[in-house]
């Protein structure tokens, strides 16, 4: 397993329980837990444990499970490359090591989109952080990163950090969101913004950063229907800290190094329902496959991935590569898995939509026939949708030559 | 004499950019007491760190100018200097594109011939064979095989390391306030830290070289700051191998699609005159316009590949370099805008030889021209890595995962003079990758604080008030 975050840990436990007991988890940090270690707020584990744990507590439960099974974890170890032959090269203070594996599970997580990638003009002073970096500095290093904060991006990380900075004694002047809706969980908008009277500025973006040595202000502006800033609406907001929560991108460098075919929409690998990529024996799960919003789904997905990897290694699962590719339409942005194998059990499909749609339904078609439909009062890009098919429908889908997942809007106006 | 003699230098170099750095380094071929004064908190923090990094072949400079002379000389010297200094150099060649009318590139070829530079006119198809992503509208192109790319700040930093290793003195945070003629023919160079006496002065003060000149010389010069904004593309986007120019305009060499020697690609620059010599901001409209112009050369350029933007200021003084002995013992290297970087080794040699000749300095037989750079984990073989880690385990801890930079390299960068995040970044590339220091910043702060023996609260991005961690405000401040 590459990565001892929630994905790698869950996959390792499931693989072990599936009979593949010769496992090593390679982790670049000095401890397990991944991004959960800095997520000290609670709300993790509602589905998995029926409890509201903090990030580190959730991670500790899974790490405990690996410990109970004696699964080896190598910390301070950064993987340099993964070959198509599943040779893994990694470096640590002990030197450069090469591992040969029958299966490799990429559980590398994701990274944040930086300022440079969204082209904010202006000066380049200190005090501009991506929200995750700020979270790390505050929660793990115990540092106070600023006093007057402005946040761009109302995804969950931006919202959580808004509240976090208030707890650190800073003033948070507002959260700007490019879209006309927030992609964060509703409970976070309530508990992080509304509860602290932090204004949420929808359809707004930061157009300029000012300040010589340290940031002294941002210029924000409204955006139009095409998300272009409207210059006449520009106004300056003084701050000494800007947090950017402007998108997460799967960490797919290692996938690229072994030739894994990527999905252009997710940025992660294209996988079958056993989470295997188009490179034999290379599996992907968690945020490096597609960015999740609930860690419970990461754990569920990764457990399925680990179990599949074990079946593959033990020879129980023949590599087939037959079965149909899933086509998405009508507002469904992507689906994981991207294709279905002929053989196998019940299917779980996870997807995201590309906008806010009310009173719609998600429908699955096999060879043009509607196989399954679920009505949804509202779907948003910020909340992943999961479709779990029963045995009969799963069998039908596996047998199909063409599969489509479609978002169908109701006749009534939105 | 007595005490005074201990403080008299043979030459003071004002400015630690690539020009001053090369001059200082070349001066070490001679025996004397030298002092380099840099205003910033590190070397290479001005124009040197924000330009295209191109070692121009020399066909563009107007014939019979200093620009032409030193460009061509410098272009020929650069590879050897880079090998000695252990900094990257890549002779990737350049193309100047013509869209319909090839008059401009023919003029450039003729100019090149006058300057002594080999070029070739290619058809549009031949150009596209070399660079498949060039626009269909390219009808012909000038090819200059001797054009190269370097890392300008690494070059300046390496010159300074080599200079000090050979015994030269270097002081940062030493802004020169005035240079004036003093008693007994010495020059008095005044900084906040004191007054230095010297027999000769080299003015390589970049954007402020007019201030330095005008205090020292009877006439006056005036520097205009010309800003160039750039965008940098991810290493994964490799649109071209060669440096791709459009035909030059009055303001500059036009918008480039320019590979860097590290594998990124630069798009830019713009060319705008700015009043504030410290204004290195970027603007959305100019960046947008520059990108669209670059698309004329390579239509498939995608904004999704942009990882950062920056701007740099060039010091312009008339049409040519201001280079020479402007007053007795006072040597100017002012207005060194493009092709300044390409010219820098030749300018450095010229200044050093001029000073040495003026003072009758003896040869320094123990001059060591070679400088060993910091170990580059990213470029090493596994065997080299294993050996380095066995010697120092910190080279096995990767801190910057985008560029594969280890803790050992970062600590060494601080040992060699980096005092802030940007200084580390320029020396070992930590923070230059696609996540733009999002991942490595916490560790960089910790390592820099530890190596400098300061609290993390005082670690800055680029000196001055640019502390990365916030200042504590008391209730009274609100």
């Amino acid at each position: 397993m590459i990565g001892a975050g929630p994905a790698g840990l869950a996959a390792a436990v499931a693989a072990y329980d599936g009979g593949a007991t010769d496992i090593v988890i390679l982790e670049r940090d000095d401890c397990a837990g991944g991004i959960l270690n800095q997520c000290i707020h609670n709300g993790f584990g509602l589905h998995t444990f029926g409890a509201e744990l903090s990030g580190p507590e959730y991670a500790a439960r899974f790490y405990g499970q690996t410990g109970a099974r004696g699964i080896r974890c190598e910390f301070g170890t950064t993987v340099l490359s993964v070959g198509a032959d599943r040779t893994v090269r990694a470096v640590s203070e002990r030197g450069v090591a090469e591992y040969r594996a029958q299966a490799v599970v990429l559980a590398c997580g994701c990274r944040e989109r930086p300022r440079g990638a969204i082209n904010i003009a202006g000066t380049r002073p200190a005090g501009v952080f991506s929200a995750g970096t700020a979270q790390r500095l505050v929660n793990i290093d115990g540092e106070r990163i600023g006093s007057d904060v402005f946040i761009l991006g109302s995804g969950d990380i931006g919202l959580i950090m808004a509240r976090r900075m208030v707890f650190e004694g800073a003033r948070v002047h507002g959260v700007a969101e490019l879209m006309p809706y927030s992609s964060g969980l509703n409970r976070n908008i309530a508990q992080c913004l509304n509860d602290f009277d932090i204004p949420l500025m929808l359809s707004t973006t930061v157009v300029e950063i000012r300040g010589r040595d340290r940031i002294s202000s941002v210029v924000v502006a409204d955006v139009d229907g095409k998300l272009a800033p409207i210059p006449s609406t520009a106004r300056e907001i003084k701050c000494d800290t800007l947090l950017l929560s402007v998108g997460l991108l799967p960490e797919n460098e290692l996938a690229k190094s072994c030739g894994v075919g990527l999905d252009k929409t997710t940025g992660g690998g294209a996988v079958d329902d056993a989470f295997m990529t188009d490179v034999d024996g290379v599996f992907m799960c968690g945020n490096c496959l597609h960015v999740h919003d609930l860690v419970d789904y990461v754990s569920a997905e990764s457990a399925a991935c680990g179990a599949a990897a074990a079946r593959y290694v033990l020879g129980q699962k023949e590599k087939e590569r037959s079965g149909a590719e899933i086509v998405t339409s009508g507002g469904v942005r992507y689906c994981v898995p991207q294709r279905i194998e002929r053989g196998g059990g019940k299917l779980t499909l996870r997807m995201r939509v590309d906008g806010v749609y009310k009173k719609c339904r998600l429908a699955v078609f096999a060879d043009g026939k509607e196989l399954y439909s679920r009505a949804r009062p509202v779907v948003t890009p910020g909340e992943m949708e999961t479709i779990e098919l029963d045995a009969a429908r799963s069998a039908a889908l596996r047998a199909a030559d063409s599969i489509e997942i479609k978002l169908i809007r109701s006749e009534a106006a939105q | 004499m007595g005490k005074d003699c201990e403080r008299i230098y043979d030459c003071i170099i004002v400015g630690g950019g690539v020009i001053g750095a090369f001059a200082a380094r070349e001066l070490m071929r001679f025996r004397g007491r030298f002092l380099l004064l840099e205003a910033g908190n590190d070397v290479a923090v001005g124009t040197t760190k924000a330009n295209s990094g191109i070692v121009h072949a020399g066909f563009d400079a107007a014939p019979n100018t200093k620009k032409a002379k030193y460009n061509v000389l410098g272009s020929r010297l650069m590879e050897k200097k880079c090998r000695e200094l252990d900094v990257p150099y890549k002779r990737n060649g350049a193309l100047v594109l013509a869209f319909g009318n090839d008059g401009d590139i023919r003029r450039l070829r003729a100019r090149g011939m006058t300057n002594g530079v080999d070029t070739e006119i290619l058809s549009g198809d031949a150009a596209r064979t070399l660079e498949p992503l060039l626009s269909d509208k390219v009808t012909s192109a000038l090819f200059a095989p001797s054009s190269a790319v370097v890392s300008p700040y690494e070059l300046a930093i390496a010159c300074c390391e080599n200079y000090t290793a050979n015994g030269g003195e270097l002081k940062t945070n030493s802004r020169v306030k005035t240079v004036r003629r003093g008693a007994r023919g010495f020059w008095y160079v005044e900084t906040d830290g004191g007054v230095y006496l010297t027999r000769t002065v080299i003015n390589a003060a970049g954007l402020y070289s007019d201030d330095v000149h005008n205090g020292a010389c009877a006439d006056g010069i005036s520097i205009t700051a010309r800003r160039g904004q750039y965008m940098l593309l991810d290493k994964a986007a490799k649109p071209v191998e060669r440096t791709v120019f459009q035909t030059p305009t009055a303001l500059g060499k036009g918008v480039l699609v320019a590979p860097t020697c590290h594998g990124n690609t630069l798009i830019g620059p713009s060319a705008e005159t700015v009043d504030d010599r410290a204004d290195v901001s970027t603007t959305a409209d100019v960046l947008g316009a520059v990108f669209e112009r670059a698309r004329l050369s390579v239509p498939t350029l995608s904004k999704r590949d942009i990882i950062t933007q920056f701007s740099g200021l060039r010091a312009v003084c008339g049409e040519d370099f201001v280079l020479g002995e402007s007053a007795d013992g006072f040597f100017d290297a002012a207005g060194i805008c493009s092709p300044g970087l390409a010219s820098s080794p030749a300018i450095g040699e010229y200044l050093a030889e001029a000073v040495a000749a003026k003072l009758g300095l003896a040869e320094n037989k123990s001059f060591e021209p070679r400088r060993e750079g910091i170990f580059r984990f990213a470029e090493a073989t596994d065997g080299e890595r294993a050996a380095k880690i066995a010697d120092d385990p910190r080279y096995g801890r990767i801190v910057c995962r985008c560029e594969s930079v280890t803790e050992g390299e970062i600590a060494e960068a601080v040992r060699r003079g980096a005092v802030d995040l940007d200084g580390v970044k320029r020396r070992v590339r930590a923070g230059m990758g696609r996540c733009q220091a999002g991942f490595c910043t916490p560790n960089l702060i910790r390592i820099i604080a530890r190596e400098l023996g300061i609290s993390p609260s005082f670690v800055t991005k680029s000196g001055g008030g640019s502390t990365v961690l916030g200042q504590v405000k008391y209730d009274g401040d609100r």
Side-chain angles (χ1 to χ4, degrees):
Chain A
M1 273 68 186
I2 301 181
L9 294 173
V13 169
Y16 187 98
D17 291 350
T21 55
D22 183 13
I23 295 175
V24 67
I25 308 177
L26 303 178
E27 167 57 50
R28 68 184 170 201
D29 206 343
D30 292 327
C31 58
I35 203 70
L36 288 176
N37 289 333
Q38 64 186 58
C39 297
I40 64 173
H41 50 285
N42 66 357
F44 298 95
L46 212 49
H47 301 263
T48 312
F49 300 115
E52 290 214 46
L53 306 173
S54 68
E57 287 172 303
Y58 186 96
R61 296 223 181 166
F62 278 90
Y63 186 55
Q65 293 178 19
T66 65
R69 289 158 179 75
I71 296 174
R72 198 168 115 229
C73 207
E74 310 234 347
F75 296 115
T77 303
T78 302
V79 173
L80 300 172
S81 70
V82 176
D85 59 354
R86 299 179 304 278
T87 303
V88 175
R89 277 166 61 245
V91 64
S92 71
E93 284 182 343
R94 296 175 294 286
V96 183
E98 198 176 83
Y99 303 79
R100 278 154 215 269
Q102 291 174 273
V104 172
V105 176
L106 300 173
C108 316
C110 60
R111 61 185 158 85
E112 298 183 279
R113 187 174 274 125
R115 168 201 177 166
I118 59 169
N119 275 326
I120 303 180
T123 54
R124 294 152 57 78
V128 179
F129 303 90
S130 49
T133 307
Q135 190 181 52
R136 159 86 206 252
L137 285 166
V138 172
N139 291 347
I140 297 195
D141 296 339
E143 300 289 352
R144 186 163 184 269
I145 61 170
S147 314
D148 288 277
V149 182
F150 192 81
I151 301 178
L152 174 61
S154 68
D156 289 316
I157 306 176
L159 300 177
I160 292 289
M161 282 311 292
R163 180 176 62 187
R164 188 71 186 89
M165 293 307 297
V166 170
F167 289 166
E168 283 297 309
R171 258 209 305 221
V172 179
H173 297 278
V175 175
E177 165 58 53
L178 181 72
M179 304 303 281
Y181 51 82
S182 166
S183 58
L185 299 170
N186 281 328
R187 71 161 190 252
N188 284 335
I189 296 176
Q191 295 171 10
C192 299
L193 299 189
N194 299 343
D195 284 355
F196 298 96
D197 296 324
I198 297 171
L200 174 63
M201 308 169 186
L202 296 176
S203 296
T204 308
T205 194
V206 171
V207 294
E208 190 188 335
I209 290 173
R210 292 182 179 169
R212 198 133 274 182
D213 292 346
R214 176 95 188 185
I215 181 173
S216 61
S217 66
V218 292
V219 177
V220 300
D222 297 349
V223 299
D224 62 21
K226 296 204 175 81
L227 305 182
I230 304 168
S232 58
T233 66
R235 59 235 185 242
E236 192 178 17
I237 297 176
K238 287 204 185 311
C239 61
D240 70 357
T241 308
L242 173 65
L243 301 189
L244 301 173
S245 171
V246 294
L248 295 173
L249 305 163
E251 199 51 275
N252 54 23
E253 291 313 305
L254 292 178
K256 285 191 213 166
S257 81
C258 70
V260 162
L262 300 178
D263 179 326
K264 284 199 177 67
T265 307
T266 61
V271 295
D272 61 24
D273 58 278
F275 297 95
M276 192 158 78
T277 66
D278 57 357
V279 177
D280 287 349
V282 176
F283 297 78
M284 282 176 96
C285 60
N287 277 349
C288 75
L289 176 60
H290 58 143
V291 175
H292 289 255
D293 26 73
L294 287 185
V295 73
D296 304 83
Y297 292 168
V298 169
S299 301
E301 174 179 278
S302 305
C305 174
R311 283 196 298 277
Y312 172 81
V313 160
L314 297 173
Q316 293 161 23
K317 166 84 169 116
E318 290 291 317
K319 154 195 61 73
E320 298 173 25
R321 308 200 182 284
S322 54
E325 304 246 345
I326 296 182
V327 170
T328 61
S329 64
V332 179
R333 237 179 103 234
Y334 74 83
C335 174
V336 168
Q338 282 82 356
R339 61 177 186 276
I340 307 291
E341 295 272 275
R342 295 278 181 218
K346 292 200 280 190
L347 287 165
T348 302
L349 309 172
R350 294 195 173 86
M351 63 206 69
R352 286 191 190 271
V353 297
D354 63 11
V356 179
Y357 299 99
K358 296 193 173 140
K359 295 203 191 94
C360 58
R361 60 194 183 86
L362 291 166
V364 181
F365 294 83
D367 291 325
K369 260 180 44 187
E370 187 172 308
L371 188 70
Y372 172 94
S373 167
R374 180 206 287 166
R376 301 285 289 126
V378 65
V379 290
T380 77
E383 307 213 17
M384 191 178 285
E385 295 290 330
T386 306
I387 290 177
E388 278 167 4
L389 297 173
D390 60 24
R393 288 192 174 84
S394 299
L397 212 62
R398 289 187 184 283
D401 291 319
S402 84
I403 303 172
E404 189 181 352
I405 302 182
K406 193 170 173 154
L407 187 148
I408 299 169
R409 298 185 228 192
S410 71
E411 264 45 75
Q414 296 304 314
Chain B
M1 296 296 255
K3 257 212 271 195
D4 271 353
C5 169
E6 294 186 273
R7 282 175 44 220
I8 298 175
Y9 291 93
D10 290 299
C11 183
I12 288 182
I13 306 107
V14 182
V18 71
I19 301 298
F22 251 124
R25 187 261 185 171
E26 296 301 325
L27 269 171
M28 296 316 298
R29 296 180 192 277
F30 304 99
R31 288 179 50 208
R33 278 197 79 204
F34 309 114
L35 172 64
L36 190 156
L37 295 171
E38 164 56 47
N41 70 344
D42 195 352
V43 299
V45 293
T47 306
T48 294
K49 75 165 165 66
N51 56 74
S52 319
I54 300 171
V55 183
H56 295 291
F59 53 81
D60 183 54
N64 306 311
T65 59
K66 294 191 175 92
K67 283 185 175 179
K69 173 180 172 186
Y70 287 93
N71 184 165
V72 175
L73 280 174
S75 162
R76 293 188 193 139
L77 289 170
M78 188 64 89
E79 185 173 14
K80 176 159 186 257
K81 303 283 185 192
C82 287
R83 302 266 174 268
E84 288 174 345
L85 294 166
D86 194 12
V87 292
Y89 171 92
K90 194 162 181 225
R91 185 177 291 125
N92 62 327
L95 291 167
V96 185
L97 306 181
F99 298 84
N101 182 345
D102 67 356
D104 282 339
I105 60 173
R106 292 202 177 277
R107 266 187 292 280
L108 286 175
R109 173 162 156 77
R111 200 187 268 190
M113 286 199 282
T114 311
N115 291 342
V117 178
D118 271 334
T119 61
E120 209 188 313
I121 305 269
L122 305 177
S123 67
D125 286 337
R128 273 181 293 273
T129 305
L130 289 180
E131 298 290 352
L133 293 183
L134 290 181
S135 163
D136 285 338
K137 298 198 173 63
V138 173
T139 50
S140 54
L142 182 77
F143 176 53
S146 62
S147 183
V149 288
V150 294
S151 175
Y153 42 86
E154 284 178 70
L155 182 58
I157 288 164
C159 282
C160 288
E161 283 184 19
N162 189 225
Y163 162 72
T164 56
N166 275 290
E169 291 176 54
L170 192 156
K171 287 188 162 76
T172 54
N173 296 303
S174 298
R175 173 172 295 283
V176 167
K177 288 160 39 172
T178 57
V179 174
R180 55 183 177 81
R181 173 74 77 188
R184 289 174 284 148
F186 293 124
W187 289 95
Y188 281 52
V189 177
E190 187 185 342
T191 70
D192 280 331
V195 179
Y196 304 95
L197 271 69
T198 182
R199 298 192 169 89
T200 61
V201 176
I202 290 176
N203 175 19
L207 292 160
Y208 302 96
S209 50
D210 53 355
D211 294 339
V212 173
H213 172 104
N214 296 343
C217 303
D219 68 337
I221 63 172
S222 176
I223 297 288
T224 304
R226 192 175 291 156
R227 184 171 68 185
Q229 301 188 37
Y230 295 86
M231 286 149 284
L232 188 73
L233 303 186
D234 193 316
K235 283 181 179 180
K238 277 190 159 58
V240 294
E241 295 258 348
R242 292 156 194 81
T243 305
V244 173
F245 295 80
Q246 297 164 353
T247 47
T249 67
L251 286 177
K253 293 184 170 53
V255 172
L256 319 166
V257 180
T260 71
C261 61
H262 290 294
N264 295 98
T265 305
L266 281 171
I267 308 289
S270 57
E272 324 140 62
T273 301
V274 297
D275 294 322
D276 178 356
R277 295 188 202 187
D279 182 2
V280 284
S281 57
T282 56
T283 59
D285 48 355
V286 169
L287 286 176
V290 164
F291 202 83
E292 287 314 306
R293 277 211 62 191
R295 278 213 179 112
L296 296 175
S297 301
V298 180
T300 52
L301 290 176
S302 167
K303 286 192 169 167
R304 281 189 180 186
D305 292 325
I306 298 175
I307 62 173
T308 192
Q309 313 71 26
F310 63 92
S311 79
L313 297 169
R314 295 90 117 188
V316 180
C317 189
E319 297 296 318
D320 201 0
F321 294 153
V322 176
L323 187 59
E325 191 174 6
S326 303
D328 188 33
F330 182 93
F331 296 84
D332 270 317
I336 312 294
C337 52
S338 184
L341 174 64
S343 308
S344 59
I347 292 177
E349 284 192 351
Y350 156 71
L351 290 168
E353 282 155 19
V355 166
K358 178 104 189 158
L359 300 177
L361 299 180
E363 193 194 334
N364 175 10
K365 292 201 162 55
S366 57
F367 172 63
E368 171 53 74
R370 288 163 307 179
R371 165 253 184 199
E372 198 183 320
I374 300 175
F375 179 80
R376 293 185 204 99
F377 181 94
E379 293 170 26
T381 63
D382 280 354
E384 290 165 343
R385 290 165 174 168
K388 193 72 183 174
I389 293 168
D391 181 55
D392 181 350
R394 291 178 309 175
Y395 283 89
R397 296 188 68 87
I398 292 193
V399 171
C400 166
R401 46 100 197 273
C402 296
E403 296 287 318
S404 296
V405 184
T406 64
E407 178 164 342
E409 294 161 84
I410 293 162
E412 180 65 13
V414 179
R415 208 186 60 75
R416 292 194 188 202
V419 291
D420 47 37
L421 262 68
D422 281 359
V424 168
K425 182 173 73 168
R426 284 189 293 271
R427 284 169 174 78
V428 295
R429 293 189 61 77
M432 280 197 171
R434 59 182 57 94
C435 93
Q436 290 288 293
F439 178 73
C440 62
T441 291
N443 276 320
L444 287 177
I445 294 172
R446 180 182 57 81
I447 297 167
I448 293 171
R450 184 190 69 210
E451 295 296 320
L452 290 178
I454 62 175
S455 157
S457 309
F458 293 111
V459 174
T460 65
K461 181 178 184 291
S462 55
S466 67
T467 47
V468 185
L469 304 173
Q471 316 275 349
V472 177
K473 260 201 199 146
Y474 298 100
D475 281 345
D477 289 354
R478 294 185 187 221

